[in-house]
C-alpha cells in the first residue's frame, strides 16, 4: 500500500505528449472500470524492453494533450519510427505515419510499427508530433533491445550477393612454386601456395 502522495506536474494549457507505452495487446473494452481500460480499449502493457525475434510488430500507445491550443482545427501528424541508439540512424521500413484530422484537447493513439526486418541491437522507438508545416512540436522516445539473429544472417548474405562485394574477384590468382596446377588432381603433398 502506497502512503506517499505522488505529484504529477504539467502545464494544463501547453501541448504535451504522454509517456510511450509498449503494448502486448488491446481489445475492445468490456469493463470501463478496469485498471487496464483506456479510451474504449482494454490495454495489456508489454512490460519488458527486450523484443525477441518472434515479435514482428511493436504496439505503442500514447496520448497528445492540449494540441488544440497550438493548431486549432488544422491537421497534424505523428511520425513513429525506430532509430539505432548509437547512431540515431532511422531503420528503413520500421516507421508509421498517423494523421490526425484536427487538434483536440486529448488525442489517444494506438498504432503498430513493423520491426520484422530490424536486426539485433539497441534501438529507440521515437514519436514526433508535427504540425501542418512539418515542424516538430512534441518528441519522445523509449529504448528497447531487439534480438533477431535470422535477420542479421539474411542481411549479411544479401550484402555479399551485391555486385562488387566479393573481394576474391579483385585478388590475383594463387601462384604455385612447382608445375602447372589446373585442377585439384594436380596438387601433391608438400606443394606450397603463395
Amino acid at each position: 500500500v502506497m502512503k506517499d502522495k505522488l505529484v504529477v506536474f504539467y502545464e494544463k494549457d501547453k501541448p504535451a505528449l504522454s509517456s510511450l507505452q509498449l503494448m502486448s495487446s488491446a481489445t475492445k473494452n468490456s469493463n470501463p472500470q478496469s485498471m487496464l481500460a483506456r479510451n474504449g480499449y482494454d490495454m495489456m502493457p508489454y512490460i519488458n524492453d527486450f523484443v525477441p525475434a518472434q515479435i514482428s510488430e511493436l504496439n505503442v500507445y500514447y496520448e497528445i494533450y492540449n494540441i488544440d491550443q497550438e493548431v486549432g482545427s488544422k491537421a497534424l501528424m505523428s511520425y513513429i519510427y525506430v532509430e539505432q541508439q548509437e547512431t540515431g540512424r532511422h531503420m528503413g521500413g520500421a516507421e508509421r505515419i498517423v494523421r490526425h484530422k484536427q487538434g483536440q484537447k486529448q488525442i489517444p493513439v494506438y498504432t503498430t510499427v513493423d520491426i520484422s526486418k530490424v536486426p539485433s541491437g539497441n534501438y529507440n522507438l521515437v514519436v514526433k508530433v508535427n504540425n501542418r508545416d512539418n515542424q516538430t512540436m512534441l518528441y519522445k522516445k523509449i529504448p528497447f533491445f531487439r534480438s533477431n539473429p535470422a535477420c542479421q544472417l539474411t542481411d549479411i548474405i544479401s550484402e555479399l550477393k551485391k555486385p562488387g562485394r566479393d573481394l576474391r574477384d579483385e585478388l590475383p590468382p594463387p601462384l604455385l612454386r612447382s608445375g602447372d596446377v589446373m585442377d585439384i588432381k594436380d596438387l601433391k603433398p608438400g606443394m606450397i601456395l603463395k
Side-chain angles (χ1 to χ4, degrees), residues 54-119:
Q54 299 88 329
I55 296 177
S56 61
E57 289 183 330
L58 283 181
N59 302 312
V60 62
Y61 178 82
Y62 58 94
E63 295 176 356
I64 304 167
Y65 305 110
N66 303 317
I67 203 74
D68 57 337
Q69 305 278 335
E70 292 287 323
V71 299
S73 62
K74 295 179 183 172
L76 62 143
M77 70 170 202
S78 295
Y79 180 43
I80 304 107
Y81 60 93
V82 173
E83 70 176 13
Q84 283 184 326
Q85 278 185 5
E86 297 83 11
T87 64
R89 184 178 140 241
H90 290 220
M91 301 305 294
E95 57 195 358
R96 163 94 18 130
I97 293 176
V98 178
R99 299 187 193 289
H100 312 287
K101 293 184 180 176
Q102 63 183 10
Q104 299 169 3
K105 191 81 174 151
Q106 177 184 358
I107 302 173
V109 181
Y110 178 80
T111 191
T112 60
V113 177
D114 181 3
I115 59 165
S116 60
K117 294 194 167 75
V118 174

Side-chain angles (χ1 to χ4, degrees), residues 5-91:
K5 287 186 179 180
L6 178 64
V7 178
V8 178
F9 175 76
Y10 68 95
E11 297 185 47
K12 293 180 180 180
D13 298 332
K14 294 214 174 194
L17 186 59
S18 72
S19 60
L20 309 178
Q21 177 62 57
L22 296 180
M23 306 303 295
S24 291
S25 65
T27 55
K28 274 288 192 195
N29 191 331
S30 57
N31 178 8
Q33 303 304 317
S34 167
M35 191 167 96
L36 300 175
R38 196 78 176 144
N39 291 302
Y41 288 91
D42 288 329
M43 306 269 189
M44 183 60 65
Y46 185 75
I47 55 172
N48 201 335
D49 63 352
F50 174 73
V51 182
Q54 299 88 329
I55 296 177
S56 61
E57 289 183 330
L58 283 181
N59 302 312
V60 62
Y61 178 82
Y62 58 94
E63 295 176 356
I64 304 167
Y65 305 110
N66 303 317
I67 203 74
D68 57 337
Q69 305 278 335
E70 292 287 323
V71 299
S73 62
K74 295 179 183 172
L76 62 143
M77 70 170 202
S78 295
Y79 180 43
I80 304 107
Y81 60 93
V82 173
E83 70 176 13
Q84 283 184 326
Q85 278 185 5
E86 297 83 11
T87 64
R89 184 178 140 241
H90 290 220
M91 301 305 294

Side-chain angles (χ1 to χ4, degrees), residues 124-142:
N124 293 316
L125 179 68
V126 179
V127 172
K128 288 168 54 172
V129 178
N130 293 357
N131 65 16
R132 193 171 164 171
D133 299 324
N134 207 25
Q135 296 168 324
T136 300
M137 301 172 67
L138 302 168
Y139 172 90
K140 284 245 169 116
K141 63 183 173 181
I142 184 172

